[in-house]
Amino acid sequence: MSATEAAALLGIKRTTLYTYVSRGLVRCVPQKGTKQSRYVRMDLERLKVRHDARAGHAAVASGALRWGEPVIDSSVTRIDARGAAYRGHLAVEMVARGASFEAVTELLWTGQLPAAVVRWPAPPLPFLPSALKGLLPAEAPPLAVLSAVVPLLGAADSVRFAASPEQEWLRARRLLRLLGAWVGAVQGPGRVAEALAQDSLAAGLVQAWGVKARGAAGLLDRALVLCADHELNVSTFAVRVARAVADAMREEGHPPPTVDFGLVALAAVLGLPRGAATALFAVRRAAGWVAHVLEQREQGHVLRPRARYVEAKKEG
């Protein structure tokens, strides 16, 4: 859409539209051979739905759900043109300062960034890794392994439905350590225990996958920190880890890549097994998911969309 059309759709001035572009809320695509630009309709329609929902228009509630953006108050993560900020701390700045994934996860859960080095103790194995050998094919990707392991971990948890807040944090730490260890179970069941013996989740991933590349643990730890919570698809720091491919795509007028592009590139550089980038997504996001679960419990109400009955159209 042109700038005039975009501003009219949102009911704003063009200067406000340019502000949205600078904040990363609306993508702008330059038109070759001209000084004009076009604005991505999907971004504009998504922004309109959010604005209308915040204004209290009940009629657009279904549209908000359609776009996956119902308005829910949250103090976990803020996304703007600078990237993700967890509890007010910019993720890129924490990476630059060397904050570990464990420390950042504690920040997401408790609201406090630990000053000291965080070490999560290795949890015991609730069942032998060899027990899954006959259940999963030898070529099963890491995410398929985690999908099979997580329900078994839940079934073995004696306080699954009756944990105190303190126990919840302990359970969450154990879960993330176990997720990071089990990703390599198909390559070798013995790697699970070896991964749990490492000092950090990132080092555990290196052990679980048998990575030999120098500095791999540090790179994986940075990736985990940058992606610890969701809504990162509009983050500007994603393009900082993209190669010549991103430049070529931009020259052709395509939108910038998401952070998943960087994860795939990282997995390729480190020689991780097929499907490792997707498994990294699941492991890293578990930190943010736990934070949102804890916050939702504190709010004390159940999120449940209501259905609006619509008469089915009769054929013929």
Side-chain angles (χ1 to χ4, degrees), residues 85-159:
Y86 308 145
R87 305 285 189 181
H89 297 261
L90 279 174
V92 290
E93 291 183 356
M94 289 190 287
V95 166
R97 295 198 304 267
S100 68
F101 175 66
E102 286 83 355
V104 172
T105 300
E106 296 286 344
L107 168 66
L108 284 170
W109 295 348
T110 68
Q112 299 294 324
L113 183 63
V117 176
V118 177
R119 290 284 184 261
W120 291 345
L125 286 171
F127 47 86
L128 294 177
S130 57
L132 289 181
K133 188 173 183 180
L135 301 177
L136 296 170
E139 66 278 6
L143 188 61
V145 178
L146 296 183
S147 297
V149 167
V150 170
L152 295 176
L153 295 176
D157 191 346
S158 60
V159 294

Side-chain angles (χ1 to χ4, degrees), residues 234-276:
V234 297
S235 300
T236 56
F237 62 75
V239 299
R240 299 185 182 186
V241 297
R243 288 157 184 81
V245 174
D247 294 335
M249 294 290 283
R250 182 172 59 252
E251 290 174 1
E252 291 298 319
H254 295 287
T258 66
V259 72
D260 299 299
F261 179 89
L263 283 182
V264 172
L266 177 62
V269 169
L270 296 181
L272 302 183
R274 184 178 181 181

Side-chain angles (χ1 to χ4, degrees), residues 2-16:
S2 68
T4 301
E5 293 170 334
L9 175 67
L10 297 177
I12 58 175
K13 298 180 180 178
R14 290 178 61 165
T15 53
T16 305

Side-chain angles (χ1 to χ4, degrees), residues 36-102:
Q36 304 298 317
S37 297
R38 289 292 185 267
Y39 302 86
V40 179
R41 178 184 292 272
M42 181 183 296
D43 294 349
L44 296 166
E45 291 180 346
R46 182 185 296 112
L47 195 59
K48 178 175 173 56
V49 167
R50 286 170 51 182
H51 285 181
D52 289 346
R54 286 172 180 164
H57 299 292
V60 301
S62 60
L65 287 174
R66 172 193 169 204
W67 289 109
E69 297 187 71
V71 179
I72 301 173
D73 292 334
S74 175
S75 59
V76 175
T77 301
R78 183 188 73 250
I79 302 292
D80 58 25
R82 299 175 298 171
Y86 308 145
R87 305 285 189 181
H89 297 261
L90 279 174
V92 290
E93 291 183 356
M94 289 190 287
V95 166
R97 295 198 304 267
S100 68
F101 175 66
E102 286 83 355

